[in-house]
Amino acid sequence: MTGRPHRVGIFVYDGVTLLDVAGPAEVFREANRFGADYRIVLLSPTGADVTSNLGVRVAVDGGVSSEPIFDTLLVAGSDLYPRARVPAELSDAARIPAAVAGRVASVCTGAFVLAAAGLLDGKRATTHWQVVHELAARCPTCRVEPDAIYVRDGTTYTSAGVTAGIDLALALVEEDHGPDLAREVARALVVYMQRAGGQSQFSAPLQGPPPRSPALRTITDVVTAAPRGDHSLGELAKHLNVSTRHLTRLFRDELSTTPARYVESIRFDMARALLDQGHTATQAATLAGFPSYESMRRVFARKLSISPAAYQRRFSTARRADPG
């Protein structure tokens, strides 16, 4: 960066998620304590103050047409716009400062505002794991990366849900001032400099609707009821009185997976729930039906990029489950 202040504009509007604003702003403010020079400006479409999702009034510094060029424009998110179309006046307002900003970023569902403004066309992007499919539908030319904490495509940055805005802000600080200063900021805020794994580690288990066909719903019920049972392809086919070839085709056509992978996913989700409740990793592996702890560890590494122990340190309840 040059010796002049680095202007960060945070674009807000009625219904904006307050933490999407406060989290990154706190990172930039903290960076100033360690030698950075960020000047944070809150701007709204018209320059009028806005009301956040918590009902808290957010006082802004100006409107999109009254502020000079920003080095970084950060668009905060809202619960409103995955559920409804972004109003044209909002996307148009965001497009004005974005057109001349040095770099443009979004926090969580702020990606929907960028997409509506045409700022994600042909780019890689991410957003909160619960609405990545909706973003892909709204912006068919985007390559939406559902597991990323944040994504950079040129001078455009998008981040995952809510607190991922802090991860993104730290990455921007590191880009501007190097890893040492960013690390000091992370330590001061007691957050990870770079968290392990993607955002799938934060998602709820058993994602997506249940299988449509009664046959596959039966398989789900069988495995869930007795996860430690023999759920080989042959045994599952016997439950339905169908051939192994027919069962494999059902899974491929409806769920785009194999029976073995589906059983593994059910066991994985059960193991996560058991770890969340305070069971040890060995107990979780046994109760969820994994042949061994090592086999469970490999699945966690593949799906979440972290070990069961690391997952439990982040997410388990403080109370130990009764092993019964």
Side-chain angles (χ1 to χ4, degrees):
M1 288 178 64
T2 65
R4 65 176 178 78
H6 183 109
R7 287 172 49 81
V8 177
I10 303 181
F11 183 70
V12 298
Y13 44 90
D14 284 330
V16 71
T17 299
L18 192 58
L19 189 55
D20 286 5
V21 180
E26 188 67 23
V27 170
F28 293 122
R29 186 201 68 83
E30 193 70 24
N32 287 345
R33 294 184 54 234
F34 296 99
D37 190 6
Y38 292 105
R39 303 293 172 86
I40 301 168
V41 176
L42 298 186
L43 68 156
S44 68
T46 64
D49 294 346
V50 302
T51 302
S52 75
N53 63 320
L54 300 180
V56 176
R57 183 184 175 203
V58 178
V60 305
D61 300 296
V64 295
S65 58
S66 63
E67 291 293 329
I69 295 173
F70 292 101
D71 299 290
T72 299
L73 176 70
L74 194 68
V75 178
S78 169
D79 291 338
L80 299 174
Y81 297 120
R83 301 196 303 266
R85 291 286 172 181
V86 177
E89 58 269 23
L90 183 56
S91 58
D92 289 345
R95 193 181 297 113
I96 295 171
V100 291
R103 61 190 177 194
V104 178
S106 65
V107 180
C108 194
T109 53
F112 284 83
V113 178
L114 294 187
L119 299 171
L120 296 183
D121 290 347
K123 296 187 176 182
R124 296 164 48 245
T126 194
T127 187
H128 193 286
W129 60 268
Q130 289 180 314
V131 293
V132 288
H133 297 300
E134 180 63 23
L135 180 63
R138 301 259 189 108
C139 187
T141 66
C142 297
R143 195 175 92 200
V144 179
E145 300 188 4
D147 200 40
I149 297 296
Y150 63 86
V151 169
R152 174 185 178 182
D153 191 321
T155 57
T156 302
Y157 302 70
T158 50
S159 63
V162 193
T163 57
I166 294 174
D167 298 79
L168 173 60
L170 282 168
L172 296 176
V173 169
E174 181 177 4
E175 184 176 295
D176 296 336
H177 294 284
D180 292 340
L181 190 146
R183 190 174 296 112
E184 291 296 330
V185 174
R187 286 174 177 162
L189 296 178
V190 198
V191 295
Y192 290 107
M193 173 79 164
Q194 180 177 352
R195 33 178 145 176
Q199 59 172 321
S200 58
Q201 63 185 288
F202 302 90
S203 62
L206 295 172
Q207 284 303 304
R212 295 188 305 274
S213 71
L216 295 190
R217 286 200 296 272
T218 297
I219 296 299
T220 302
D221 293 341
V222 166
V223 178
T224 303
R228 285 183 278 184
D230 179 2
H231 300 308
S232 63
L233 177 60
E235 288 300 313
L236 292 177
K238 286 179 184 178
H239 279 291
L240 301 179
N241 195 28
V242 299
S243 69
T244 56
R245 178 179 294 182
H246 179 67
L247 182 61
T248 300
R249 187 167 56 250
L250 280 175
F251 272 92
R252 184 186 65 241
D253 292 347
E254 183 171 339
L255 300 175
S256 299
T257 190
T258 66
R261 285 293 193 193
Y262 191 70
V263 170
E264 179 185 87
S265 293
I266 292 177
R267 287 172 169 164
F268 166 72
D269 287 330
M270 295 182 75
R272 279 210 297 180
L274 289 163
L275 291 172
D276 290 344
Q277 294 164 17
H279 290 275
T280 67
T282 302
Q283 288 172 336
T286 300
L287 293 172
F290 283 99
S292 65
Y293 166 77
E294 179 59 26
S295 63
M296 182 178 78
R297 187 198 64 77
R298 287 196 297 267
V299 175
F300 268 72
R302 187 175 71 248
K303 288 180 174 287
L304 302 183
S305 300
I306 57 175
S307 69
Y311 173 86
Q312 189 171 49
R313 285 195 297 270
R314 289 171 172 80
F315 299 107
S316 67
T317 178
R319 297 181 61 186
R320 175 74 176 275
D322 183 354

